[in-house]
Amino acid sequence: MLESIYHISKMDCPSEENMIRMKLDGLQVIKKLEFDIENRNLTVFHSEEDKEILSRLEALNFGAKLTQTSSIDDNEVALEDSDVQSKLLWSVLIINFAFFIIEMTTGLISKSMGLVADSLDMLADSFVYGLSLWAVGSTVLRKKKVARWSGYFQLSLALLGMIEIVRRFIGSEEMPDYRIMVGVSIFALIANGVCLYLLQKSKSNEAHMKASMIFTSNDVIINTGVILAGVLVLLTQSKYPDLIIGSIVFLIVVKGAFRILKLGK
């Protein structure tokens, strides 16, 4: 058995972990994957040398580099419990999709593009977790097809959101409700923290999550940005802080859509 360690500089949240899992799915030589999101390392246990592993990781443009490969005893590797992984994926999928609905609804009611954009980011994570579940027992070709459609759908929603932001910049729209923005974003922040905790708890060597790991998550940064925008809306009595944070989040969603599309190649 071989143990290869890859440093992946742009892997900073569980969503990207699942993208990597999907990208490596189907390689028969891989026996187990271990993720260390805090240090941005991936350990791959595989039966033989295979350059396809690094090739697939590089295709995601997450900055993957092979740091070392060594031989280990087969008995040192305990195989992953797929049932446990599936239950965890279902948990975070439900949490993310529920908050997509909550944020989209409250965003439209409060006229906050920041909340609408954040809801699409939650939807993007739901796509990733859903695709991971779909991959179980599914053909690689079918998985790639679903990934492409998911990416195009997410990209279309993000572009529609950007058009709406431009319209609101130009037009005379009402100021968004900062109370709903801040309140809902705080709950979304807690939800993302719970998702991150559940996923990290699944690793036997990472049972206790360090607080710093939460703040490396892009989702948490986005939630904090919407909260800040809500505070600035209150202080400035202006719609522009909300539109600015909405624009930034929509660009992040577009970037995520292109990442999902890469899974379909």
Side-chain angles (χ1 to χ4, degrees), residues 9-149:
S9 60
K10 296 180 183 179
M11 180 182 70
D12 57 9
C13 70
S15 178
E16 288 157 353
E17 171 186 331
N18 281 282
M19 285 187 178
I20 292 170
R21 285 184 181 276
M22 284 187 285
K23 195 66 177 178
L24 296 179
D25 182 51
L27 289 180
Q28 298 300 317
V29 298
I30 295 178
K31 302 305 177 185
K32 184 180 178 182
L33 301 174
E34 283 187 358
F35 290 82
D36 180 357
I37 294 180
E38 181 184 14
N39 296 308
R40 306 188 183 191
N41 287 329
L42 164 65
T43 302
V44 180
F45 298 92
H46 47 115
S47 57
E48 59 186 63
E49 288 282 0
D50 191 342
K51 294 181 180 179
E52 182 67 15
I53 297 174
L54 181 58
S55 176
R56 291 195 184 188
L57 289 173
E58 289 176 336
L60 287 171
N61 291 327
F62 287 170
K65 293 182 182 292
L66 176 63
T67 57
Q68 70 176 68
T69 297
S70 56
S71 298
I72 60 170
D73 193 296
D74 290 9
N75 296 325
E76 293 180 25
V77 182
L79 298 180
E80 293 179 307
D81 188 337
S82 59
D83 289 337
V84 172
Q85 289 293 325
S86 293
K87 288 178 181 178
L88 286 166
L89 285 171
W90 271 115
S91 297
V92 295
L93 170 60
I94 291 169
I95 291 172
N96 275 275
F97 191 74
F99 267 88
F100 155 66
I101 295 174
I102 291 170
E103 287 193 305
M104 178 61 76
T105 303
T106 55
L108 294 174
I109 292 172
S110 65
K111 301 185 184 300
S112 169
M113 292 307 295
L115 280 178
V116 171
D118 195 19
S119 75
L120 292 184
D121 185 61
M122 287 286 198
L123 180 63
D125 287 344
S126 298
F127 279 149
V128 172
Y129 299 129
L131 285 169
S132 296
L133 286 165
W134 181 276
V136 179
S138 179
T139 64
V140 175
L141 183 62
R142 181 181 295 177
K143 182 186 68 176
K144 287 184 175 182
K145 184 178 180 179
V146 174
R148 283 197 300 271
W149 280 109

